[in-house]
């Protein structure tokens, strides 16, 4: 390559540029001429011709017009004409990118801070978008998901039981009886097909034995057509046959893909083999595909290992409302018309079968059923993380404005020598886009890591969370976010460059003289904007944090500390009630004898988990035909209430004298006592469960069995010796650390039954934690985003005030030389920043009053206009703004007047 620098310096000599500015221009023009020289060589010109053509662009008055802005070839050589405008556009873009990279390399500190900030902002947006895309935007991973409908029951609508609804966690109020399901399926004209699964599967489990350690599996009973309706094809093997879906039919099971890999090492020979489930030979007929995760879609709180056939028979019909129903609409049928038909069918069936549970039929899209209740929370999160990115953009705009101000003489020289202003704007935007691209490239791995961690966690009960991933849609979103971000924070500095006053900036005036009021006004506006955005985020986060703290203060009605539970599954060899009771008594005696165990209790349903309801009435009271109150039944042993530390309000607990042959007794909670026997002592009263009479022997405190955010409902406790139970949860309260006690408990269980799975151990505190996990998840994310916005806003204030101090160094020096005190200078500088923060704070609080109202559904125990939260955020932002202003203001008071007066 020819040496261009000597010739360029000769031609620039008359401009008398500063050495540093001249070096930059020489470097850029040399690169430009190298590119033009290479182009002409590629076009067929000789080295001498290529050199002359390149140097021709430095001739004439428009020296830098041709040097900094790519034009059409100045020669008429045919090969060059053929390249045309497109080639030069690509060459211009490449040159802009190279120049932008050189400029960013010259300021590594600025570049690193900008890229890291953008990586956090864009990465967080990508991660949250991936979650929102999976839960709310992406269609469900089933065939034609828009035609899938969830049909829930509206049992006892309008009756005294109307206080309990699907939202309270009571499965009995949303599930359907087998008889109703079969009639719906055969009589409707709106659906291609209906399928169902056994909603109360978590009350029992399956013990896998005969191959390795005994393991307790969660299995869901499904109708024969369940997978076909969803459009799910087994990865291996087949689905269930009609012969397998009958009462006492041949044992069959399908393995989930994850369980197949974990337990059997993905061995294809497992399909068709026989395993032992609950001491019954069972054929493995298939393996589900990895894309179908039953628990992630339908039961996020209960991981599922196998699917088993569920018999739609008279025997299961007698179990009451047990089925969760899914249907597929026929093409062209609307939800409204299908709802109208189901209303008619339900009314007819209730008249034809008064012996069945009173069922309604409410249709909801399956997408809405699975993820609808999280919609508002994740929309708020997406808006919050977008606000963080906006704050990031305003901050970077301020940094670029300051950076452009330091380069204004260079830019003025380029414009004076003929550089096109639009080309300079494009070059500035290229730098911004390059920064945004680097930030996105670094943010993607952060987003990937975050989504992998979310997908792998089992501590958050949010549907479809395990299927969250960075897919092609997320990559497109990241690309769009990077481009939009680069343009957003780069456009203001770029436009400022295009309006630069060349005459003023070529003068040898002070550094602050040429900036003018417009640049300062823009920077101040950006600071006000980011303070306002940070205020909105902080208020929203503050409301959620206060809600979360209120939730933590809720008394669940039991004491979770120092207690843990084990799931106990007795095998089919315990056939009679006497054998079953003896089995449970033996377990309790063995575990109670372990040193460090304080007490042991048994229950068929732990709090904050699965729920079902039974109809109950008070003897002697008059009810409308077919109506009753819904109450949660809990089947327990005599030690459960004491072990859970549920307070006894009146009467007694169960004892060993409450046997199958004695008077049937129950214990009720305070809510049930008040509703069934208002103003009376509930102890000694008779409750009717169906046609059986149960005498109340005790009243206990309310337990939040559904969730911590709802008041306690009607609950009743029945002794296991009288009500009977299959699977039970054993609760152990200990004085020793629970992890050290676990091996002894497992050994005690194995001594009673060697085939008993003993691996399911969980502290009760973990159950409480899981119950509040969705709220904690939203609160932590929004709190983190708000904290980041606060830091960025404070940095923005600090940056503007610091820059202002630098620009006003001479003014400050003159003031101090004329006798101004340090305190007055301090007040002057701090006042400037505090005014900006105050304006942003007022705007942000006003916006928060309007915006936070949409968060009302996410709050608990706190109003959207909570004055304490608003006042606290105002004080927090005001304090941070003061500190951000004080640091540069304090530095201003240290200015030496003599040095400041020489400052240029």
């Amino acid at each position: 390559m020819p040496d261009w620098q000597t010739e360029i310096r000769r031609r620039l000599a008359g401009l008398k540029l500063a050495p540093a500015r001249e070096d930059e221009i020489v470097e850029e023009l040399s690169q430009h001429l190298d590119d033009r020289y290479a182009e002409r060589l590629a076009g067929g010109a000789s080295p001498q011709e290529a050199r002359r053509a390149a140097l021709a662009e430095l001739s004439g008055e428009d020296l830098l017009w041709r040097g900094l802005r790519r034009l059409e070839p100045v020669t008429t050589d045919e090969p060059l004409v053929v390249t045309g405008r497109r080639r030069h556009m690509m060459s211009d873009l490449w040159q802009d990118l190279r120049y932008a990279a050189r400029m960013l390399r010259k300021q590594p500190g600025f570049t690193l801070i900008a890229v890291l900030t953008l990586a956090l902002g864009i990465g967080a947006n990508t991660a949250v978008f991936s979650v929102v895309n999976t839960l709310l935007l992406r269609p469900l991973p089933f065939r034609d998901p828009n035609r899938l409908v969830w049909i829930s029951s509206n049992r006892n609508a309008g009756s005294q039981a109307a206080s309990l609804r699907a939202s309270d966690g009571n499965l009995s109020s949303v599930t359907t009886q087998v008889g109703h399901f079969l009639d719906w399926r055969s009589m409707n004209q709106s659906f291609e097909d209906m399928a169902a699964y056994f909603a109360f599967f978590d009350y029992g489990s399956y013990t896998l034995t005969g191959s390795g350690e005994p393991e307790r599996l969660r299995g869901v009973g499904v109708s024969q057509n369940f997978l076909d309706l969803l459009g799910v094809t087994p990865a291996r093997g087949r689905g269930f046959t009609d012969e397998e879906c009958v009462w006492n039919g041949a044992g069959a099971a399908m393995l989930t893909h994850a369980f197949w890999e974990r337990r059997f090492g993905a061995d294809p020979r497992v399909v068709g083999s026989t395993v032992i489930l609950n001491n019954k030979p069972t054929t493995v007929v298939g393996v589900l595909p990895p894309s179908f995760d039953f628990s992630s879609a339908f039961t996020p709180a209960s991981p599922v290992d196998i699917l088993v056939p569920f018999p739609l028979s008279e025997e299961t019909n007698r179990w009451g409302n047990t089925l969760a129903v899914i249907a597929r609409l026929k093409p062209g049928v609307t939800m409204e018309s299908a709802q109208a038909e189901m209303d008619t069918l339900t009314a007819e069936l209730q008249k034809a079968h008064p012996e069945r549970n009173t069922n309604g039929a409410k249709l909801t899209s399956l997408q809405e059923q699975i993820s609808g209740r999280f919609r508002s929370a994740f929309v708020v999160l997406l808006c919050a993380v977008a606000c963080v990115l906006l704050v990031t953009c305003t901050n970077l705009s301020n940094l670029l404005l300051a950076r452009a101000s330091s380069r204004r003489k260079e830019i003025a020289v380029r414009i004076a020598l003929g550089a096109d202003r639009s080309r300079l704007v494009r070059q500035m935007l290229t730098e911004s886009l390059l920064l945004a691209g680097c930030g996105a490239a670094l943010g993607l791995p952060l987003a990937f890591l975050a989504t992998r961690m979310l997908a792998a966690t089992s501590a958050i009960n949010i549907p479809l969370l395990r299927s969250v991933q960075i897919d092609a849609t997320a990559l497109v979103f990241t690309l769009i976010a990077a481009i939009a971000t680069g343009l957003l924070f780069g456009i203001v500095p770029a436009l400022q460059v295009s309006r630069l006053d060349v005459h003023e900036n070529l003068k040898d005036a002070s550094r602050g003289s040429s900036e003018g009021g417009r640049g300062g006004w823009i920077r101040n506006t950006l600071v006000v904007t980011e303070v306002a955005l940070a205020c909105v985020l902080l208020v929203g986060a503050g409301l959620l944090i206060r809600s979360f703290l209120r939730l933590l203060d809720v008394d669940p009605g039991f004491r979770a500390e120092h207690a843990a539970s084990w799931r106990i599954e007795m095998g089919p060899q315990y056939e009679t009630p006497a054998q079953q009771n003896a089995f449970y008594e033996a377990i309790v005696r063995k575990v109670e004898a372990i040193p460090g165990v304080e007490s042991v209790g048994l229950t068929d349903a732990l709090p904050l988990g699965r729920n079902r309801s039974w109809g109950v009435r008070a003897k002697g009271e008059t009810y409308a035909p077919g109506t009753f109150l819904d109450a949660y039944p809990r089947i327990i042993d005599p030690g459960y209430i004491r072990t859970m530390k549920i307070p006894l309000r009146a009467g007694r607990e169960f004892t060993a004298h409450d046997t199958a042959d004695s008077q049937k007794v129950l214990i009720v909670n305070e809510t049930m006592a008040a509703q069934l026997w208002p103003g009376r002592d509930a102890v000694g009263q008779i409750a009717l469960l169906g046609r059986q009479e149960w005498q109340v022997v005790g009243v206990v405190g309310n337990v939040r069995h559904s969730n911590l955010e709802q008041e306690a409902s009607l609950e009743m406790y029945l002794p296991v010796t009288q009500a009977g139970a299959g699977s039970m949860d054993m609760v152990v309260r200990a004085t020793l650390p629970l992890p050290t006690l676990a091996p002894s408990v497992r050994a005690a269980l194995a001594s009673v039954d060697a085939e008993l799975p003993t691996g399911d151990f969980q502290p009760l505190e973990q159950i409480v934690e899981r119950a509040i996990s969705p709220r904690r998840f939203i609160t932590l994310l929004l709190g983190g985003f708000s904290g980041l916005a606060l830091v960025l806003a404070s940095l923005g204030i600090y940056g503007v005030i610091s820059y202002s101090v630098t620009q006003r160094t001479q003014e400050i020096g003159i003031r101090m030389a004329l006798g101004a005190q340090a305190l007055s200078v301090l007040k002057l500088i701090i006042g400037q920043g505090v005014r900006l923060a105050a304006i942003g704070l007022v705007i942000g609080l006003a916006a928060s009053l309007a915006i936070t109202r949409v968060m009302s559904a996410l709050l608990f125990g706190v109003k959207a206009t909570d004055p304490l939260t608003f006042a606290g955020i105002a004080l927090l932002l005001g304090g941070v703004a003061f500190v951000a202003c004080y640091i540069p203001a304090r530095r201003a008071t240290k200015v030496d007047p003599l040095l400041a007066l020489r400052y240029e």
Side-chain angles (χ1 to χ4, degrees):
M1 288 286 183
D3 178 17
W4 312 106
Q5 294 196 10
T6 302
E7 180 64 22
I8 294 171
R9 290 186 187 279
R10 184 182 67 78
R11 301 191 187 195
L12 289 175
L15 295 174
K16 300 186 182 304
L17 300 173
R21 300 297 184 210
E22 182 175 305
D23 289 343
E24 290 180 1
I25 295 174
V26 168
E27 181 183 359
E28 182 178 351
L29 286 173
S30 296
Q31 183 62 57
H32 165 68
L33 294 179
D34 282 342
D35 293 341
R36 301 298 274 170
Y37 180 77
E39 287 178 8
R40 280 159 175 75
L41 288 179
S46 67
Q48 293 78 13
E49 292 172 337
R51 185 176 184 279
R52 283 196 301 271
L55 286 174
E57 296 193 16
L58 289 178
S59 62
E61 297 178 357
D62 56 346
L63 172 67
L64 293 187
W65 176 269
R66 292 182 180 274
L68 297 179
R69 184 174 182 267
R70 296 287 188 153
L71 299 175
E72 295 296 326
V74 297
T75 65
T76 57
D77 298 324
E78 185 64 24
L80 295 177
V81 173
V82 172
T83 60
R85 184 179 301 272
R86 179 178 300 177
R87 180 172 178 178
H88 289 290
M89 289 177 62
M90 296 301 297
S91 177
D92 287 347
L93 177 60
W94 177 241
Q95 184 189 25
D96 286 344
L97 286 172
R98 293 175 65 180
Y99 179 76
R102 288 201 304 272
M103 296 304 296
L104 294 178
R105 282 200 306 269
K106 289 180 180 179
Q107 294 180 303
F110 164 80
T111 303
L112 180 63
I113 292 173
V115 169
L116 288 178
T117 305
L118 287 167
L120 288 174
I122 296 176
N125 272 268
T126 300
V128 174
F129 173 80
S130 298
V131 176
V132 172
N133 182 45
T134 300
L135 267 67
L136 306 180
L137 304 179
R138 186 197 306 163
L140 293 174
F142 308 130
R143 176 173 56 87
D144 295 332
N146 292 333
R147 291 198 284 134
L148 292 176
V149 175
W150 176 273
I151 305 179
S152 60
S153 169
N154 287 328
R155 183 155 61 91
N156 289 330
S159 72
Q160 293 175 328
S163 60
L164 292 181
R165 288 293 176 258
S167 61
D168 65 6
N170 176 18
L171 284 175
S172 295
S173 65
V174 298
T175 49
T176 299
Q177 199 166 357
V178 168
H180 255 56
F181 168 75
L182 292 174
D183 288 336
W184 282 347
R185 189 166 67 175
S186 62
M187 297 170 64
N188 85 86
Q189 300 297 318
S190 300
F191 302 102
E192 285 185 356
D193 202 359
M194 283 187 186
Y197 67 87
F198 182 57
F200 296 91
F201 69 91
D202 206 25
Y203 277 85
S205 61
Y206 296 84
T207 301
L208 176 65
T209 56
S211 175
E213 289 292 323
E215 182 177 358
R216 189 173 77 87
L217 308 180
R218 283 191 175 93
V220 181
V222 299
S223 61
Q224 186 271 335
N225 62 333
F226 183 77
L227 295 179
D228 291 338
L229 182 136
L230 295 177
V232 175
T233 303
R236 293 184 178 274
R238 59 171 176 82
F240 301 124
T241 63
D242 291 332
E243 292 74 19
E244 293 164 342
C245 295
V246 298
W247 186 255
N248 288 330
M254 296 187 69
L255 312 181
T256 65
H257 201 274
F259 175 67
W260 176 55
E261 290 182 326
R262 176 177 63 81
R263 177 77 186 201
F264 299 102
D267 185 355
R269 294 172 298 180
V270 171
V271 177
S273 67
T274 299
V275 297
I276 305 300
L277 291 179
N278 290 350
N279 289 341
K280 179 180 178 180
T282 303
T283 302
V284 178
V285 299
V287 176
L288 295 169
S291 59
F292 177 60
D293 186 346
F294 180 94
S295 59
S296 179
F298 299 106
T299 59
S302 302
V304 171
D305 302 304
I306 59 174
L307 298 185
V308 296
F310 185 81
L312 303 173
S313 62
E314 283 299 322
E315 291 82 1
T316 55
N317 183 59
R318 289 194 289 268
W319 295 353
N321 288 8
T322 58
L323 296 182
V325 180
I326 302 171
R328 180 178 292 279
L329 289 168
K330 291 180 178 178
V333 176
T334 65
M335 187 84 74
E336 291 75 16
S337 63
Q339 180 69 70
E341 183 191 24
M342 292 301 292
D343 291 341
T344 302
L345 284 179
T346 298
E348 294 175 358
L349 291 174
Q350 288 175 353
K351 292 179 181 179
H353 298 281
E355 76 282 359
R356 294 179 186 168
N357 290 334
T358 307
N359 290 279
K362 179 182 178 182
L363 272 59
T364 311
S365 73
L366 188 58
Q367 179 83 57
E368 182 68 21
Q369 171 64 26
I370 289 175
S371 57
R373 65 192 179 101
F374 294 100
R375 184 181 307 278
S376 57
F378 281 104
V379 168
V380 167
L381 269 185
L382 191 59
C383 292
V385 76
C387 279
V388 171
L389 197 56
L390 286 176
V391 174
T392 301
C393 289
T394 55
N395 230 357
L396 288 177
S397 288
N398 256 328
L399 288 174
L400 288 176
L401 278 171
R403 185 167 173 266
S405 181
S406 68
R407 296 171 58 191
R408 65 185 183 277
K409 283 193 175 182
E410 167 212 336
I411 295 170
V413 168
R414 295 170 68 182
I415 294 175
L417 293 176
D420 188 359
R421 290 178 184 261
S422 64
R423 175 64 187 276
L424 293 175
V425 169
R426 192 175 75 188
Q427 199 166 69
M428 295 287 287
L429 287 178
T430 301
E431 289 184 29
S432 303
L433 290 170
L434 184 59
L435 278 174
C438 293
L442 184 60
L444 265 178
L446 297 178
F448 179 80
L449 180 62
T451 53
R452 286 291 298 270
M453 291 173 62
L454 286 176
T457 183
S458 59
I460 305 174
N461 297 337
I462 297 178
L464 302 176
L465 197 60
R466 288 197 288 273
S467 60
V468 171
Q469 60 180 342
I470 304 295
D471 58 7
T473 305
L475 292 177
V476 172
F477 171 85
T478 305
L479 177 62
I480 294 173
I483 294 173
T485 301
L487 293 175
L488 193 59
F489 73 75
I491 191 66
V492 173
L495 291 178
Q496 279 292 98
V497 165
S498 70
R499 300 190 181 100
L500 198 67
D501 189 322
V502 177
H503 179 71
E504 283 293 324
N505 282 277
L506 286 177
K507 290 180 180 179
D508 290 329
S510 69
R511 293 171 64 177
S513 63
S514 64
E515 182 192 13
R518 180 181 295 272
W521 179 84
I522 292 176
R523 277 193 293 275
N524 292 343
T525 301
L526 291 173
V527 168
V528 169
T529 300
E530 61 182 325
V531 170
L533 289 171
C535 181
V536 173
L537 281 177
L538 285 167
V539 168
L543 290 172
L544 283 180
I545 290 172
R546 290 207 66 204
S547 296
F548 186 67
L549 294 177
R550 289 285 182 89
L551 189 63
L552 293 180
D553 288 338
V554 171
D555 182 6
F558 62 94
R559 296 292 171 263
E561 60 276 5
H562 309 302
S565 69
W566 276 262
R567 188 68 173 167
I568 306 298
E569 297 283 350
M570 60 181 171
Q573 66 270 29
Y574 305 102
E575 298 178 352
T576 65
Q579 290 175 322
Q580 295 169 1
N581 291 333
F583 168 76
Y584 286 127
E585 288 174 5
I587 285 178
V588 170
R589 285 197 305 270
K590 286 284 188 180
V591 177
E592 281 181 332
I594 298 173
V597 171
E598 181 180 327
S599 60
V600 179
L602 298 173
T603 179
D604 71 328
L606 290 167
L608 302 174
R610 52 190 176 271
N611 278 319
R612 86 286 202 192
S613 63
W614 291 356
V616 61
R617 293 176 293 171
K619 184 178 180 180
E621 297 294 327
T622 302
Y623 296 84
T627 61
F628 43 80
L629 292 178
D630 279 341
Y632 292 164
R634 310 293 174 194
I635 299 173
I636 64 174
D637 79 329
Y640 176 74
I641 290 177
R642 180 177 67 258
T643 302
M644 294 290 287
K645 293 191 179 297
I646 300 172
L648 182 66
R649 305 300 189 194
R652 66 173 178 85
E653 300 178 7
F654 297 138
T655 69
H657 300 292
D658 297 316
T659 64
D661 300 324
S662 64
Q663 165 70 42
K664 292 187 179 298
V665 295
L666 54 77
I667 297 172
V668 300
N669 71 341
E670 292 174 292
T671 299
M672 182 169 172
Q675 289 200 28
L676 263 70
W677 302 282
R680 288 182 285 171
D681 184 2
V683 176
Q685 301 291 340
I686 301 298
L688 299 176
L689 303 181
R691 297 181 180 180
Q692 290 186 339
E693 295 186 359
W694 296 71
Q695 185 180 38
V696 178
V697 297
V699 178
V700 296
N702 292 328
V703 173
R704 306 268 180 136
H705 273 287
S706 297
N707 58 66
L708 294 178
E709 300 183 29
Q710 290 185 331
E711 295 295 332
S713 302
L714 280 67
E715 298 157 5
M716 54 188 178
Y717 299 85
L718 297 83
V720 63
T721 51
Q722 295 180 349
S727 302
M728 299 286 280
D729 285 293
M730 178 182 68
V731 181
V732 178
R733 184 168 295 279
T735 57
L736 295 176
L738 294 171
T740 63
L741 196 67
S744 300
V745 173
R746 292 190 179 105
L749 294 176
S751 68
V752 176
D753 187 342
E755 297 296 319
L756 192 65
T758 59
D760 282 354
F761 157 75
Q762 62 174 339
L764 293 192
E765 288 177 316
Q766 192 177 90
I767 296 175
V768 177
E769 291 291 313
R770 189 178 294 115
I772 61 177
S773 62
R775 181 174 289 279
R776 175 189 286 107
F777 176 72
I778 301 298
T779 302
L780 286 177
L781 284 184
L782 188 57
F785 297 150
S786 303
L788 180 58
L790 178 63
V791 171
L792 292 173
S794 62
L795 290 176
I797 297 172
Y798 173 82
V800 164
I801 301 303
S802 293
Y803 183 79
S804 175
V805 168
T806 303
Q807 295 294 102
R808 300 172 66 181
T809 299
Q810 282 188 326
E811 173 197 339
I812 294 171
I814 293 172
R815 287 175 179 270
M816 298 186 73
L818 293 176
Q821 298 297 314
L823 182 60
S824 63
V825 173
L826 197 68
K827 289 180 179 178
L828 176 69
I829 303 301
I830 291 178
Q832 177 189 354
V834 169
R835 279 193 298 273
L836 295 178
I839 296 171
L841 190 57
V842 170
I843 296 174
L845 290 175
S848 299
L849 281 172
I851 294 173
T852 54
R853 295 180 187 276
V854 304
M855 295 176 55
S856 297
L858 303 178
L859 303 180
F860 172 75
V862 177
K863 293 183 179 179
T865 56
D866 179 51
L868 186 60
T869 301
F870 278 74
I873 296 305
L875 289 175
L876 174 64
L877 258 177
V880 170
F882 179 82
V883 172
C885 297
Y886 178 80
I887 297 173
R890 182 68 176 170
R891 189 174 68 246
T893 63
K894 305 296 183 182
V895 170
D896 186 335
L898 293 179
L899 293 177
L901 292 174
R902 300 175 191 163
Y903 182 73
E904 292 184 353

